[in-house]
Amino acid sequence: MAGPGGSPKASVGPNFKLLLALAALYGTLFWATMHFFTQVPDPLPADADPSRFAEGRAMQHLDALVNRIGHRQVGSPGEELSAQYILSEVSRLAAQVAAERPDLAAEAARESVSGGVTMHAFKFEIANVYGNLTNVVLRLAPADPAAAARKAVLLNAHYDSTLGTKGATDCGSCVAIMLEIARTIVANRDIQLAAPIVFLLNGGEETLSQAAHGFFSSSKYARQLGAFINLESTGPWGPDVLFQHTGDWTLQAYARSAPNPRGTTMAQDFFDLGLIPADTDYRMFSYRHYGSLPGIDVAFIFDGTAYHTARDDIDRIRPGTLQAMGQNVLSAALEFGRVLATDPAAPQAGDNGGSVYFDIWGQAMVIYSHAQARALHHAPLFIVLLLPLLASAGGDPAQQLGWGSLLGSTLVALCSVLCALTLPAALGAARAAVSGIPMAWYGRPAMAYLIYLPAAATGLLLPHLLAPPRPGGATPLARSLGTALLFALICSGLTAVGMHSSFFYALWAAAAAASAAILGVGASAASGWSGAAALAGIYAAPVAVALPSAVTFMAHVMEKVGLAGAAPGALGLTLADAAVGAVAGATVVVSLGTLTPLLAAALGRRRAAALAAAALALSCGAAAWASGQYALPYSREHPKRLLVQHIHHHGPDGAALGSKLSMVGLDAFPLAPALPPSFASLPPAEFAVEEWESFYPLNYLISGGAARAAPGPEEGSTLPTLHVLSRGASPAGQQLERLELQLDTGKPGAWGVMNITGEVVGWSLTDKVAVTALEAGGASHMVRFAANVYARTHSFWLDVPAGQRLSVRLLVKHVEESPAVAALLADMPGWTSPAAVVSYQSRWQL
């Protein structure tokens, strides 16, 4: 292995030239990362050129949805008013097309959908049933019959909001963007559609994508689709990021057409593995899931502490955010149409959907296929393993690299990575356990960085300090090859199981191998200015690629712990802090990569030890200060999410069996400080986790809460009922009986759950009976249902073995506030964001 290496012995003392070169590298690339990450285009005002997309005009739609209409939960009056508003807007555009655009044809329609799908939600199989949900559709097509007959691009966003929020960004902003995109196409005569575009504005995503499923399974506009773009949001700050795709031409089309494409396969890996407890309409269209189309999922990210809270309001949206997504999606939709005009081959369900992709500061995207990844991501392992052979063949004693030295360095690297993960995790868990205050850093990212990142850096350095190279042992560059071998092994393993974010490790391992090949592994290889500059240049690519994902991943995780639920006992107290600590460790590992041994050596053992001690002291001091300063981690801007149920238990005969107010939090912080005096003064009632099965499967995030006695149903309330209309022989088989049933939810627009216990072999609810095995044996069948403001009953049948008796636990939610709930919410602390329902719970024997 030729190179200007010099002596094979490990160098002693600091290498200030290398430290300065790497400091310049990281400083420059961190500045570029933050500059381009926060960069958005100037928002155009409402009176801008009509031929251009303008955030100001989109904000007018958003103002109507959020400020004039307000809450838009499925089944609420606001949801219906939103449908009417959106229909009026798309109808106006259709009329404008008829009057001004002879080259276009437009159709506007309101559709009602009912049906169901058996699906997996958060790893649970459920039947997802819906009644009379509303979708608004606008179809813009070329007037030319041949072009109009081509497969269409589907743009989708949902206008409903979840409980307790007006949903300015989730997903009113996406609806406003779609309306402005449609207006721009109609107003700009220079835009010539190569294929039709169908705009779906659906009224039921927060109930597990029911309206999207209804559209795709029954709408006439779904029959001739060729690809889709789904718009979503997890926070009002932005930017918009492509975080899922089906693995075909759609990703390439987005990357080459969007002015500022952003995305990383790391997010896709976490979604595919089920590590992110969230879902979008993407699954209802994707050929890899319940649909048949290729497509992409694009969402706003960051400022996630406002997501699904009352703080998701227009004032929270960063100016330029809607402009950026609008420009990206408009360009991508037109490009999708151009591709569909070439009649690409339809994807097959068995196709491997994998691709590696990441953006370069939102200016361009790097994309390569899973087949290419198998070659590229395994290559570093073979190269690193070949280096000792190449070195020995070279015959230069100064460049010798023994197997023992390589494996020893790999072991040190493994210990380094493990320490980087465990030290901040242990510090976080200890801080929470000692103080009794979990998540003291919530909504304060700078504090989290001070607590965790210095500790992670200490953990990364510690094995290199405890096991320094022996005199005449491995040089820093040789030790970096040990880290490269570890990273190459991780990369190959992740690639083998289909995790495409392994590209981080491939880049780091390749950079270490390249530096050894170019500079050699001698002790003086990077000691001069030329060697230090060359090393920094070699490592520029992995640093530039790793920094954006490392920074964004930790920030995203910290924001989402407010929705992660809580385990019981001490585990629940410490888990969130430990998890964020481990993520901080991963951030440091991915950010420094195979440079770690070089940095440790460049600092010199004494200075490295002093720096590690100072960093650990900084982390411990920040942890202690946060525990004392932030006994309450929340604020009005970063609230605690709460759910409240006014529960009424009743029998099948309508007899009242008791009522209570039950409250839970959705994170690890104790509930007690959030309980207002008016709640605490009520007569005590037993809290039961099973009563939260009404939110199935989110009840698995709940381990405890508080309950107080409350008034019974308001006078004149109609209780939900489950009627057996008939029971007789089933046409499906001689040994089966069919039960014809009708569920009356008591009032229109109800949500809820039916837990059916007993053997069910067929039903009319969905395409397939949902089955959940019970620990005690047997099975239950979980059914979620929702309806809009015009639907009150659900009629269905069940086929069961002859003589089979069923037990049904019925939990019906009315999306409203009872007087008792309204009084409670008015007394809640300002740092909370509660969402409330009235719940009717009963048991039925069939």
Side-chain angles (χ1 to χ4, degrees), residues 301-346:
I301 60 171
F302 292 120
D303 197 10
T305 58
Y307 172 68
H308 281 195
T309 77
R311 310 301 183 265
D312 185 6
D313 213 338
I314 289 179
D315 294 341
R316 194 100 171 206
I317 297 174
R318 182 171 59 125
T321 302
L322 273 60
Q323 187 74 36
M325 178 184 270
Q327 293 177 178
N328 282 341
V329 174
L330 173 58
S331 297
L334 297 176
E335 179 65 12
F336 276 32
R338 286 188 282 270
V339 175
L340 289 175
T342 67
D343 194 23

Side-chain angles (χ1 to χ4, degrees), residues 716-809:
S717 298
T718 301
L719 299 180
T721 56
L722 185 60
H723 299 286
V724 180
L725 302 180
S726 66
R727 181 168 190 151
S730 170
Q734 295 182 351
Q735 303 300 316
L736 299 177
E737 290 182 334
R738 175 160 293 182
L739 282 71
E740 298 280 355
L741 303 168
Q742 184 181 72
L743 168 63
D744 184 341
T745 59
K747 63 169 52 178
W751 305 7
V753 170
M754 286 189 294
N755 183 346
I756 305 171
T757 303
E759 185 177 0
V760 177
V761 297
W763 62 18
S764 60
L765 292 166
T766 62
D767 54 335
K768 173 180 173 290
V769 175
V771 179
T772 300
L774 300 176
E775 292 183 3
S780 69
H781 312 280
M782 302 300 299
V783 181
R784 279 181 54 127
F785 58 85
N788 79 349
V789 71
Y790 298 117
R792 171 172 164 173
T793 62
H794 299 265
S795 297
F796 59 99
W797 54 258
L798 307 176
D799 278 346
V800 301
Q804 172 74 58
R805 296 298 169 185
L806 302 177
S807 175
V808 180
R809 186 156 189 261

Side-chain angles (χ1 to χ4, degrees), residues 274-421:
L275 298 178
I276 298 179
D279 215 340
T280 74
D281 288 333
Y282 167 90
R283 283 214 293 167
M284 295 304 168
F285 308 128
S286 163
Y287 73 84
R288 297 179 64 197
H289 300 88
Y290 302 108
S292 60
L293 300 177
I296 60 175
D297 209 356
V298 180
F300 292 126
I301 60 171
F302 292 120
D303 197 10
T305 58
Y307 172 68
H308 281 195
T309 77
R311 310 301 183 265
D312 185 6
D313 213 338
I314 289 179
D315 294 341
R316 194 100 171 206
I317 297 174
R318 182 171 59 125
T321 302
L322 273 60
Q323 187 74 36
M325 178 184 270
Q327 293 177 178
N328 282 341
V329 174
L330 173 58
S331 297
L334 297 176
E335 179 65 12
F336 276 32
R338 286 188 282 270
V339 175
L340 289 175
T342 67
D343 194 23
Q348 302 299 315
D351 290 350
N352 188 315
S355 292
V356 177
Y357 63 97
F358 54 89
D359 70 275
I360 306 298
W361 298 324
Q363 307 304 300
M365 294 189 84
V366 175
I367 304 169
Y368 51 96
S369 69
H370 180 65
Q372 293 170 319
R374 284 198 299 267
L376 293 172
H377 292 186
H378 290 310
L381 178 60
F382 294 103
I383 293 173
V384 173
L385 290 175
L386 280 173
L387 288 177
L389 298 177
L390 296 175
S392 61
D396 183 356
Q399 302 297 331
Q400 295 302 304
L401 179 66
W403 287 103
S405 174
L406 180 63
L407 295 177
S409 297
T410 303
L411 181 60
V412 172
L414 176 61
C415 294
S416 175
V417 170
L418 293 176
C419 287
L421 297 174

Side-chain angles (χ1 to χ4, degrees), residues 234 352 399 448 477 506 589 635 733:
T234 67
N352 188 315
Q399 302 297 331
L477 278 167
V589 168
S635 64

Side-chain angles (χ1 to χ4, degrees), residues 73-368:
Q73 292 79 23
V74 170
S76 70
E79 184 261 331
E80 170 59 21
L81 290 174
S82 298
Q84 294 175 8
Y85 171 80
I86 295 168
L87 180 61
S88 70
E89 291 299 309
V90 298
S91 297
R92 182 178 57 79
L93 288 174
Q96 184 178 348
V97 168
E100 302 175 7
R101 292 293 301 269
D103 57 323
L104 292 179
E107 295 179 65
R110 171 175 175 155
E111 298 183 327
S112 294
V113 294
S114 299
V117 59
T118 295
M119 58 186 289
H120 284 83
F122 316 122
K123 300 185 178 180
F124 297 95
E125 188 173 62
I126 64 170
N128 195 14
V129 179
Y130 48 92
N132 207 39
L133 299 189
T134 301
N135 290 324
V136 180
V137 182
L138 172 67
R139 186 178 190 268
L140 297 178
D144 175 62
R150 293 168 180 155
K151 292 181 178 179
V153 181
L154 173 66
L155 295 187
N156 174 74
H158 67 93
Y159 61 82
D160 64 307
S161 60
T162 197
L163 297 173
T165 178
K166 297 178 182 179
T169 51
D170 184 24
C171 204
S173 63
C174 302
V175 170
I177 287 169
M178 280 181 50
L179 290 173
E180 173 60 7
I181 287 175
R183 188 215 58 79
T184 303
I185 293 172
V186 173
N188 189 341
R189 293 180 178 273
D190 292 334
I191 295 179
Q192 297 294 310
L193 297 183
I197 299 179
V198 173
F199 296 82
L200 170 61
L201 304 122
N202 82 71
E205 190 271 348
E206 299 294 356
T207 52
L208 293 186
S209 301
Q210 293 173 331
H213 179 266
F215 167 83
F216 201 73
S217 61
S218 63
S219 174
K220 70 174 184 178
Y221 298 103
R223 296 172 189 164
Q224 192 66 9
L225 297 174
F228 72 92
I229 301 174
N230 184 58
L231 305 187
E232 260 295 353
S233 174
T234 67
W237 194 85
D240 54 295
V241 171
L242 188 153
F243 66 102
Q244 292 189 94
H245 78 108
T246 50
D248 36 64
W249 61 263
T250 55
L251 176 62
Q252 295 276 3
Y254 176 81
R256 66 174 173 263
S257 61
N260 295 109
R262 290 185 174 91
T264 171
T265 194
M266 182 169 64
Q268 178 117 21
D269 282 344
F270 283 108
F271 262 92
D272 289 347
L273 290 172
L275 298 178
I276 298 179
D279 215 340
T280 74
D281 288 333
Y282 167 90
R283 283 214 293 167
M284 295 304 168
F285 308 128
S286 163
Y287 73 84
R288 297 179 64 197
H289 300 88
Y290 302 108
S292 60
L293 300 177
I296 60 175
D297 209 356
V298 180
F300 292 126
I301 60 171
F302 292 120
D303 197 10
T305 58
Y307 172 68
H308 281 195
T309 77
R311 310 301 183 265
D312 185 6
D313 213 338
I314 289 179
D315 294 341
R316 194 100 171 206
I317 297 174
R318 182 171 59 125
T321 302
L322 273 60
Q323 187 74 36
M325 178 184 270
Q327 293 177 178
N328 282 341
V329 174
L330 173 58
S331 297
L334 297 176
E335 179 65 12
F336 276 32
R338 286 188 282 270
V339 175
L340 289 175
T342 67
D343 194 23
Q348 302 299 315
D351 290 350
N352 188 315
S355 292
V356 177
Y357 63 97
F358 54 89
D359 70 275
I360 306 298
W361 298 324
Q363 307 304 300
M365 294 189 84
V366 175
I367 304 169
Y368 51 96

Side-chain angles (χ1 to χ4, degrees), residues 658-754:
S659 298
K660 67 176 74 171
L661 289 172
S662 184
M663 187 186 305
V664 298
L666 293 179
D667 59 32
F669 192 82
L671 182 62
L675 302 177
S678 60
F679 181 86
S681 64
L682 295 173
E686 180 183 2
F687 175 83
V689 172
E690 70 171 9
E691 293 171 335
W692 287 89
E693 194 173 59
S694 55
F695 285 83
Y696 185 89
L698 297 181
N699 55 304
Y700 285 95
L701 297 177
I702 296 168
S703 60
R708 295 292 188 272
E714 294 181 58
E715 186 175 352
S717 298
T718 301
L719 299 180
T721 56
L722 185 60
H723 299 286
V724 180
L725 302 180
S726 66
R727 181 168 190 151
S730 170
Q734 295 182 351
Q735 303 300 316
L736 299 177
E737 290 182 334
R738 175 160 293 182
L739 282 71
E740 298 280 355
L741 303 168
Q742 184 181 72
L743 168 63
D744 184 341
T745 59
K747 63 169 52 178
W751 305 7
V753 170
M754 286 189 294

